[in-house]
Amino acid sequence: MDIQKLRSETKGCATTIHFNNAGASLMPDVVLETIKSYFDLEAAIGGYEAAIFKAKEIEKCYESVARLLNCEAKNVAFTSSATDSYNRALSSIPFQSGDIILTTESDYVSNHLAFMCLQKRFGIFIHSVANDDSGQINIQEFEMAIKKTNPKLVAVTHVPTNSGLIQPIEEIGQLCKKYDILYLVDICQSIGQLPVDVAKIQCDFASSNTRKFLRGPRGCGFLYVSDKILKMQLEPLFMDISGAVWTSEKSYQPVATAKRFEDFEFAFALVLATGIAIDYFLEIGAENVQKRNTELCKYAIGKLHEIKGVRVLDKAPNLSSIITIAIEKYSILELRNYLNSLKINTSYSAKSSALIDYTKKNVTEALRISPHYYNTEAEIDVLIEALKKKIN
């Protein structure tokens, strides 16, 4: 991996030390130029006309997602965000009063909020399985929870936003197949930094956005929908002319592919940019990215342990490129703002974004540091020196 070449292809690297890749990575220049050129085309010939003119390229973006996830293009839907994708999947499941969603204590806050909305409206129950002492789900305990609760849906976040934890989603998928349970996986923090293969995961849905480690634009997401779901004729709660055909005065027919989960209105510039971002990532290689990120995080964590008063919160045996730290008697928000003034980007994580997890860790806030392959050890050194200067 030629790090300097990759950095030269990313304008932001020249002016910013960016350790907020779990929030939104710096886009490669080619992704940015794709967005600009499409909007130039819309301005020149019109929005509808631009979509028609670029129709073949837009369709190729479905193929790019399919290559990324190891599925077929017919199983891919584009949305506006990871949460949009997730909620469209949730809305297609015919929940009834008393049904159970089996999830984890480390799942993303918006996912938990969606579960509680379903609980409030339909009378379902939410059962969260705790992480074990190693920091992640124990498969034997998870299977016991399945047997005990007989859930309608298993919903798991692969990599939580508030932790470096990597959940064993393939092993959970084997359990869901064994017990014939619908399986929804949030992959928005793992896509772009880890290999993600929906065939191995054996999930029914996988939701993501494109702005995080994938290095795509904000305002775009995608949803994987399995053949099983399509054959079951599950559909989102609301559809429009993109997802269904109005066949008679009182009936409609959903389209046969995952596009039934889409809306007609699209930011096609962002879809095209997503396709470019995926192709850029695949050319580098998921395994290469994972190896590089592991090296960067190992280096960073070692340096962080040397700073008095800093507590590294991540302890699972397999960690992603998300590092969270708490600091004794110091405002994390103030620290984040201080680093930002030095053009070092990190992220502030409040307790409300990870209520169960942070309560167990006995923290009210955390600083999230998320390196990516285009970062350098020298940038980590700058971050460490800035933290030492401010804290000590």
Side-chain angles (χ1 to χ4, degrees), residues 229-243:
I229 294 299
L230 296 177
K231 290 176 182 177
M232 290 174 65
Q233 292 295 309
L234 294 189
E235 59 192 47
L237 180 59
F238 299 109
M239 290 190 291
D240 70 4
I241 56 175
S242 178

Side-chain angles (χ1 to χ4, degrees), residues 184-202:
L184 167 60
V185 182
D186 181 338
I187 57 172
C188 74
Q189 290 288 9
S190 54
I191 205 74
Q193 65 153 320
L194 303 172
V196 176
D197 186 331
V198 293
K200 292 180 179 179
I201 300 169
Q202 301 183 82

Side-chain angles (χ1 to χ4, degrees), residues 31-45:
V31 174
L32 179 60
E33 291 305 317
T34 299
I35 298 171
K36 289 180 177 179
S37 64
Y38 187 84
F39 281 133
D40 285 341
L41 181 64
E42 280 195 345
I45 67 173

Side-chain angles (χ1 to χ4, degrees), residues 246-252:
W246 196 5
T247 54
S248 72
E249 185 177 348
K250 296 183 179 181
S251 65
Y252 63 88

Side-chain angles (χ1 to χ4, degrees), residues 57 59-70 73 76 78 274-276 278-279 282:
E57 291 179 43
E59 283 302 312
K60 287 182 179 179
C61 295
Y62 292 85
E63 297 173 7
S64 294
V65 178
R67 288 196 303 274
L68 179 69
L69 300 180
N70 188 26
V76 175
F78 276 102
T274 293
I276 295 297
I278 291 171
D279 294 343
L282 291 176

Side-chain angles (χ1 to χ4, degrees), residues 362-382:
N362 194 30
V363 295
T364 58
E365 56 184 1
L367 186 74
R368 186 180 67 184
I369 304 162
S370 49
H372 209 6
Y373 60 88
Y374 58 78
N375 289 126
T376 66
E377 288 82 357
E379 288 181 317
I380 293 173
D381 289 340
V382 173

